[in-house]
């Protein structure tokens, strides 16, 4: 092969002319209706949005231009008229017929783009969700000599353009005509159109009407002047009831001028789960963006619902949610500060309203206080905790007890609370959400406070020991009791404590429960897993049943001569102690209770055996 042939064989292939994507408009409309938009109702928002943006564009050139939007619905058809900037024939071909292009990107409008609601150029495409055909008649305000132009498009992707006589559209602006497709007439019904227009456009800055009925209601309720604070509170409460369906406990102003945000937060009158995602109502430059904005406030502020208007936040492509970016994060933090400031203001100047709020929403404040030391310091005298001295604040409890003992679970608290109280040990139930974290943070806002977790060893150490001679005399009884509970992983000890009415106390801690769970799993596993679980065996202390030597029933049981009867009675005391602590029963515990109950019935009904 000669060199020329070799070079020819290595030459790159000649470039081919590029191909353009072909768009199936019906498929795209199906995608919009089923995946991008939550409901067909967004078609009306798109129409209002285009009309408002057109007026904004015209007013950039003509500040005194009329600003009207009119909607007329009748017989399954809708007509939307605006006094906006309008379009020429060239604009129609360039803007309306090109999917993805927006008039906001047109020459001369880029610098004013922040004043527009739309950002993604989807525009009239959403109208195909409810209509098979769209007809637009428009006349440009920027080119006074240009005639009116008509653009008619079908959902099969075809469109026609023609110029019209001046009489068809004497003044600049645009009119959009829709006729409902089969099955969507309800969305173009007069009542539905008016309701949607009010919902989406109540805060729009221009004169919007459905027929003769005004849609806009300005200024916004939070921006209106009122005779006084009480009248303002009543008016906002009425607004909340109309909007969200509840009368709020209180209202919180949400003004963040640097972010262009004005609005109000309404405090819920009933407690809600922290896991429940709050839905907030957000307007973007007056147009309703979403009723379900979940990421607008910090997670701890789940006790409020807010409504606001903003011009700084970015919408997602569907314009039904907020785009998560640095601006939204900053706004979320700023709004959180407003709510925090409201709480501290109540603590400083209105304790009655604060108490009413905490009675319902103490969980939200706890969530905030565990991360915010200043909030914890402010709320310290107000947040209630369950303690052995009753419901007290941390401040009150710490004043009464030199050492603030607490338990991490409700079960541990229920085990020790009656005994600890009788022994003079103050204990806080830290088993509820956030409580143990707040107790542990107490020294950071109250220097010198000693906080300690209460465990079984601490409780046992505070119980009086039995005289050694008496305990030695009861060694046979204790041996029988221990033998019966040993298979359950529980030891038996004898102490003297108050109240006398408590015959036995079941004590364990997390390590003991973990070891018991491991032992139970090992007993039920096959040889392989039993070996693995056995290798994990720890040296944690076992649970213990503390028998009260001062209790008359325990004394009578300890005097029984029959080891079998002692074992059955001990099982009964063990089960009763578990039930008193409200601990969940394992299958082995339930079997023991049944066995002990039947055993005691047997002993009680056979006195002739001499064993009762």
């Amino acid at each position: 092969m000669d060199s020329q042939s070799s070079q020819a064989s290595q030459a790159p292939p000649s470039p081919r002319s590029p191909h353009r994507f072909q768009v199936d408009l019906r498929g795209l409309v199906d995608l919009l209706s089923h995946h991008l938009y939550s409901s067909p109702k967004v078609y009306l928002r798109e129409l209002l949005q285009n009309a408002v943006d057109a007026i904004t564009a015209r007013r950039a050139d003509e500040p005194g231009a009329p600003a009207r939007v009119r909607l007329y619905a009748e017989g399954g058809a809708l007509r939307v008229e605006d006094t906006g900037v309008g379009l020429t024939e060239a604009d129609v071909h360039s803007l309306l017929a090109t999917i993805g292009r927006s008039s906001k990107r047109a020459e001369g409008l880029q610098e004013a783009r922040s004043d527009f609601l739309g950002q993604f150029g989807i525009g009239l495409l959403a109208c195909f969700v409810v209509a098979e055909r769209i007809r637009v008649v428009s006349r440009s305000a920027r080119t006074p000599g240009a005639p009116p132009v008509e653009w008619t498009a079908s959902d099969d992707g075809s469109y026609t353009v023609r110029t019209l006589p001046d009489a068809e559209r004497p003044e600049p602006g645009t009119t959009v005509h829709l006729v409902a497709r089969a099955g969507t007439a309800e969305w173009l019904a007069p009542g539905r159109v008016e309701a949607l227009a009010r919902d989406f456009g109540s805060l729009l800055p221009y004169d919007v009407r459905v027929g003769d009925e005004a849609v806009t209601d300005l200024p916004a309720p939070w921006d209106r002047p009122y005779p006084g604070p009480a009248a303002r509170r009543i008016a906002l409460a009425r607004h909340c009831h109309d909007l969200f369906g509840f009368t709020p406990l209180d209202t919180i102003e949400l003004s963040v001028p640097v972010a262009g945000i004005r609005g109000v937060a309404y405090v819920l009158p009933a407690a809600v789960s922290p896991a429940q995602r709050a839905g907030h109502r957000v307007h973007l430059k007056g147009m309703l963006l979403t009723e379900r904005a979940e990421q607008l406030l910090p997670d701890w502020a789940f006790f409020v619902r807010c409504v606001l208007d903003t011009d700084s936040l970015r919408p997602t492509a569907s314009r039904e949610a907020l785009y998560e970016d640095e601006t939204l994060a900053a706004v979320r933090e700023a709004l959180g500060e407003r709510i925090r400031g409201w709480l501290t203001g109540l603590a400083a100047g209105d304790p009655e309203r604060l108490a009413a709020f905490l009675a319902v929403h103490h969980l939200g404040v706890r969530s905030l206080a565990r991360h915010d030391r200043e909030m914890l310091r402010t709320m310290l005298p107000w947040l209630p905790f369950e303690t052995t001295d009753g419901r007290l604040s941390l401040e009150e409890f710490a004043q009464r007890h030199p050492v603030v003992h607490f338990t991490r679970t409700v079960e541990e608290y229920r085990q020790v609370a009656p005994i600890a109280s009788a022994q003079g040990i103050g204990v806080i139930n830290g088993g509820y959400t956030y409580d143990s974290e707040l107790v542990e943070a107490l020294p950071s806002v109250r220097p010198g406070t000693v906080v300690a977790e209460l465990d079984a060893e601490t409780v046992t150490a505070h119980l009086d020991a039995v005289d050694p001679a008496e305990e030695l005399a009861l060694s046979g009884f204790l041996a029988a009791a221990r033998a019966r509970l040993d298979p359950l992983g529980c030891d038996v000890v004898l102490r003297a404590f108050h109240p006398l009415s408590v015959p036995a106390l079941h004590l364990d801690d997390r390590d003991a429960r973990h070891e018991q769970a491991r032992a139970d799993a090992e007993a039920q596993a096959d040889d392989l897993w039993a070996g693995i679980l056995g290798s994990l065996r720890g040296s944690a202390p076992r649970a213990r049943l503390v028998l009260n030597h001062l209790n008359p029933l325990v004394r009578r049981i300890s005097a029984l001569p029959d080891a079998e009867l002692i074992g059955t009675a001990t099982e009964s005391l063990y089960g009763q102690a578990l039930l008193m602590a409200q601990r969940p029963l394992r299958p082995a515990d339930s079997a023991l209770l049944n066995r002990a109950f039947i055993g005691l019935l047997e002993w009680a009904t056979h006195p002739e055996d001499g064993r009762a």
Side-chain angles (χ1 to χ4, degrees):
M1 181 181 295
D2 57 28
S3 60
Q4 290 183 342
S5 299
S6 176
Q7 291 176 2
S9 65
Q10 297 177 7
S14 60
R16 298 179 179 177
S17 58
H19 298 279
R20 292 189 178 275
F21 286 103
Q22 300 298 311
V23 177
D24 180 352
L25 189 57
R26 285 178 176 166
L28 187 57
V29 170
D30 182 71
L31 182 67
L32 290 177
S33 61
H34 290 95
H35 300 284
L36 183 62
Y37 294 134
S38 62
S39 166
K41 70 180 182 180
V42 297
Y43 87 92
L44 193 65
R45 184 196 63 200
E46 295 291 343
L47 290 173
L48 285 176
Q49 178 175 287
N50 286 342
V52 170
D53 286 345
I55 294 173
T56 301
R58 184 177 180 185
R59 285 203 155 190
D61 298 329
E62 305 175 52
R68 298 188 303 272
V69 181
R70 298 289 183 265
L71 296 89
Y72 303 95
E74 185 178 1
L78 175 66
R79 185 173 84 254
V80 181
E81 300 178 354
D82 68 65
T83 57
V85 69
L87 301 171
T88 64
E89 183 176 355
D91 294 335
V92 166
H93 285 288
S94 174
L95 302 174
L96 297 187
T98 304
I99 295 173
R101 180 172 295 180
S102 171
S103 61
K104 291 70 165 180
R105 298 186 180 92
E107 183 179 354
L109 295 184
Q110 187 66 34
E111 67 277 4
R113 189 179 175 200
S114 62
D115 294 330
F116 296 103
L117 303 176
Q119 298 285 319
F120 295 91
I122 295 174
L124 291 173
L125 197 61
C127 294
F128 281 123
V129 174
V130 297
E132 292 180 331
R133 192 166 60 93
I134 301 173
R135 177 172 171 257
V136 177
V137 177
S138 186
R139 184 163 192 165
S140 175
R142 288 187 173 152
T143 311
V149 60
E150 177 191 69
W151 177 80
T152 304
S154 300
D155 64 358
D156 61 3
S158 64
Y159 71 93
T160 61
V161 178
R162 67 187 180 112
T163 58
L164 301 174
D166 289 349
E168 292 286 336
R169 180 81 200 192
E171 299 296 330
T174 300
T175 301
V176 179
H177 302 263
L178 301 182
V179 177
R181 67 167 65 243
T184 65
E186 61 173 306
W187 293 106
L188 274 66
R192 177 64 67 89
V193 168
E194 182 175 346
L196 292 178
R198 290 185 186 280
D199 203 33
F200 285 120
S202 62
L203 300 185
L204 289 175
Y206 304 134
D207 179 16
V208 182
R209 295 175 182 268
V210 178
D212 296 326
E213 296 295 325
V215 167
T216 50
D217 186 19
L218 294 176
W222 50 85
D223 286 330
R224 295 172 189 169
Y226 296 97
R232 179 181 179 83
R233 189 177 299 116
I234 291 172
L236 290 178
R238 187 182 304 114
H239 174 251
C240 175
H241 189 274
D242 293 341
L243 205 60
F244 295 116
F246 65 85
T247 301
L249 278 178
D250 207 348
T251 59
I252 308 170
E253 299 291 332
L254 295 180
S255 176
V256 187
V258 70
I261 287 178
R262 285 284 298 155
V264 64
Y266 295 116
V267 181
L268 292 166
V272 294
S273 167
Q276 180 177 329
R277 303 300 297 178
H280 307 291
R281 190 177 175 92
V282 178
H283 296 256
L284 179 62
K285 302 180 182 72
M287 180 73 74
L288 177 65
L289 181 72
T290 179
E291 299 174 282
R292 300 184 301 276
E294 295 181 349
Q295 70 273 47
L296 187 65
L297 296 182
D299 290 340
W300 55 261
F302 56 83
F303 50 84
V304 299
R305 296 291 180 271
C306 69
V307 53
L308 55 82
D309 188 26
T310 175
D311 58 17
S312 63
L313 299 178
R314 291 174 56 195
T316 58
S318 67
R319 290 192 285 280
E320 294 185 283
L322 296 172
Y323 186 80
E324 185 69 49
D325 58 10
E326 292 181 357
T327 301
L328 179 57
V331 165
R332 183 163 48 234
E333 183 176 350
L335 294 179
E337 286 295 329
R338 297 297 184 276
I339 298 174
R340 182 186 288 110
W342 169 78
L343 281 171
T344 55
L346 287 187
D350 201 337
E352 290 186 2
R353 283 170 65 196
L354 178 64
F357 166 76
L358 289 178
V360 179
H361 295 298
H362 61 91
L363 199 58
V365 177
R366 280 172 155 80
S367 175
L368 173 59
R370 66 194 176 116
H371 296 302
D372 190 322
R373 292 293 176 263
E374 190 59 37
M375 179 57 66
L376 177 59
R377 185 179 288 106
T378 302
M379 293 291 113
L380 205 58
W382 305 100
L383 287 176
F385 288 76
E386 182 180 358
T387 78
T388 49
D389 294 349
R391 290 190 68 80
L392 298 175
S393 70
L394 289 181
E395 178 67 27
E396 292 175 294
F397 189 84
Q399 290 174 356
R400 298 184 182 188
H401 299 278
V403 178
V404 177
H405 287 101
F406 73 98
T407 63
R408 291 193 181 275
T409 69
V410 175
E411 290 79 10
E412 290 173 352
Y413 177 80
R414 288 169 177 165
Q415 285 181 33
V416 303
I419 309 304
S421 180
Q423 303 303 123
I425 307 173
V427 185
I428 296 175
N429 183 358
Y432 297 113
T433 306
Y434 309 134
D435 281 9
S436 62
E437 296 174 73
L438 293 176
V439 175
E440 289 180 298
L442 185 57
S444 67
V445 297
R446 196 177 189 275
T449 303
V450 179
V451 173
E453 183 176 356
L454 189 69
D455 55 21
E457 290 290 345
T458 304
V459 176
T460 305
H462 279 78
L463 304 180
D464 294 335
V466 178
D467 181 85
E470 290 188 59
E471 187 167 1
L472 181 62
L474 297 174
S475 59
F477 158 69
L478 291 175
R482 287 166 181 159
R484 185 58 65 93
L485 296 187
D486 184 68
L488 296 173
C490 183
D491 291 332
V492 177
V493 296
L494 190 65
R495 292 289 188 273
F497 56 86
H498 293 272
L500 300 180
S501 58
V502 178
L505 176 66
H506 181 271
L507 294 177
D508 63 2
D509 53 28
R510 284 173 295 163
D511 291 337
R513 288 195 294 274
H514 176 76
E515 175 61 21
Q516 183 61 57
R518 187 210 58 78
D520 291 344
E522 180 182 357
Q524 299 174 14
D526 56 28
D527 293 341
L528 173 61
W529 283 107
I532 295 174
L533 292 169
S535 67
L536 300 175
R537 184 180 297 113
S539 58
R542 304 206 308 171
R544 66 194 65 181
L545 182 69
V546 183
L547 300 179
N548 187 0
H549 186 53
L550 300 180
N551 180 266
L553 176 60
V554 172
R555 285 181 173 271
R556 289 197 295 271
I557 293 174
S558 65
L560 291 173
D562 191 307
E564 183 66 24
L565 182 54
I566 289 174
T568 300
T570 302
E571 288 180 335
S572 299
L573 292 175
Y574 172 83
Q576 187 261 354
L578 285 180
L579 294 174
M580 281 188 61
Q582 301 183 41
R583 292 288 306 278
L585 299 180
R586 300 171 297 163
D589 297 329
S590 298
L592 175 144
L593 282 172
N594 289 331
R595 182 173 65 249
F597 178 71
I598 297 299
L600 289 177
L601 286 179
E602 289 287 341
W603 287 103
T605 55
H606 294 81
E608 67 277 2
D609 294 341
R611 297 175 297 179

